[in-house]
Amino acid sequence: MTDADDATARLLDRFLTELRALAPVAVWAHGSLAGGDYQEGRSDLDLIAVLEDPVSPGTVWEVVRLHRRLRAEEPLAVKLHCSYLILDNLADAERSYVTWAQNRLMKRPVTPVTRRELHAFGLVLHGKPPEDLLPTVQDRELNAFVVRDQKEFWRPAVDKARLWTQDVWVDLGSVTFARATVTLREGRLISKREALDLLPELGAPLDVVEDIRRRRYGDPAPHTDEWPARRAELTRGYLGPAIDGLVAAYEGFTRA
């Protein structure tokens, strides 16, 4: 982080201080903050806390209190997401963990993509590094997850037109497709900035790519009332066939 990210540093310091009550074995950052593409106020703060003891109802209550207190007192806390892993079952990639995200408590797995990120460039905020605690992710497992995510989550979502007038669906759908493409072709993870640079080469609509880029990295100009609907049409028209082609190519390769 740079001097411009003082608010983020203060939030993380406070989070780590208040998290001491749960005695975490480790706290790691992944996503944009760890990967060098963090934009304060725009990027999420994606964190992992590893706890030694099982998560009891009392622990869940402490987690909720902590995040609600931060949300009320720290403007950036709305962007702070954290999954609470248990030391004894870190090897189980299918297990769902208590997670605070989108201003609510949920349970969800820590995906193979996140696990690979942690090994590749995870940022240690406290305690032991990921390589000391977290099993590595094999290429086959990572690729299978990426394809399943494109096929079973993103492809059906493309058919739900009402979603794609929202910034978040346009942004994540486009960027995730580019990142999935590179992972399957080259076996590596790329940042959102790299994904945006790649999208035109993959045939994505240039107007949509520039719209995403302005909102993430620039000063977005007001759009016309017609643009969200047009942008949704362009994005869906691109992503549907693109995802189908990516999945078909991978599945054909694995059957060969």
Side-chain angles (χ1 to χ4, degrees):
M1 291 184 290
T2 68
D3 292 342
D5 302 317
D6 286 345
T8 301
R10 288 195 302 270
L11 173 59
L12 291 175
D13 285 344
R14 180 172 176 184
F15 177 71
L16 292 172
T17 297
E18 299 203 16
L19 198 62
R20 289 175 186 167
L22 298 180
V25 176
V27 182
W28 307 318
H30 59 100
S32 298
L33 183 65
D37 191 29
Y38 178 72
Q39 305 294 307
E40 187 168 271
R42 303 184 188 190
S43 300
D44 289 334
L45 287 163
D46 297 312
L47 307 180
I48 299 287
V50 181
L51 307 180
E52 187 166 7
D53 297 327
V55 175
S56 66
T59 303
V60 172
W61 177 236
E62 287 296 328
V63 167
V64 171
R65 288 179 60 195
L66 166 59
H67 285 279
R68 286 180 175 171
R69 186 163 59 247
L70 290 176
R71 173 69 184 269
E73 299 173 7
E74 300 283 350
L76 285 181
V78 67
K79 296 286 189 179
L80 193 154
H81 305 158
C82 188
S83 292
Y84 293 84
L85 281 60
I86 306 304
L87 186 61
D88 286 346
N89 53 41
L90 291 180
D92 187 353
E94 300 297 321
R95 181 182 288 269
S96 292
Y97 296 95
V98 169
T99 299
W100 182 270
Q102 310 301 333
N103 197 35
R104 64 187 178 94
L105 195 71
M106 62 183 75
K107 293 190 74 173
R108 66 185 185 189
V110 176
T111 70
V113 170
T114 295
R115 289 167 178 262
R116 177 64 72 87
E117 282 186 358
L118 287 166
H119 275 280
F121 50 80
L123 181 62
V124 178
L125 303 178
H126 167 77
K128 296 183 178 181
E131 54 267 28
D132 285 0
L133 301 176
L134 199 65
T136 57
V137 178
Q138 301 301 316
D139 288 346
R140 180 177 295 182
E141 179 186 2
L142 179 65
N143 292 345
F145 171 80
V146 166
V147 171
R148 187 167 65 248
D149 185 53
Q150 290 290 303
K151 181 179 182 178
E152 298 179 6
F153 179 81
W154 286 107
R155 187 58 183 88
V158 169
D159 293 332
K160 299 175 182 177
R162 60 182 175 80
L163 300 176
W164 297 87
T165 57
Q166 302 174 50
D167 293 347
V168 65
W169 284 91
V170 173
D171 297 0
L172 285 179
S174 303
V175 166
T176 301
F177 171 74
R179 297 172 91 174
T181 299
V182 172
T183 296
L184 294 174
R185 289 180 179 177
E186 303 177 23
R188 64 188 182 93
L189 304 179
I190 62 173
S191 69
K192 291 180 180 178
R193 186 185 293 273
E194 291 174 294
L196 284 173
D197 290 341
L198 178 65
L199 276 167
E201 298 177 29
L202 298 176
L206 295 181
D207 287 348
V208 173
V209 175
E210 288 309 307
D211 177 72
I212 299 170
R213 193 187 304 277
R214 282 193 300 270
R215 282 184 286 101
R216 181 168 177 82
Y217 299 108
D219 185 13
H223 56 66
T224 64
D225 292 341
E226 295 79 17
W227 174 238
R230 176 59 178 157
R231 183 183 64 180
E233 180 183 8
L234 289 169
T235 305
R236 295 175 62 230
Y238 166 67
L239 280 180
I243 292 173
D244 290 342
L246 183 69
V247 170
Y250 176 80
E251 292 181 341
F253 174 78
T254 56
R255 285 195 297 266

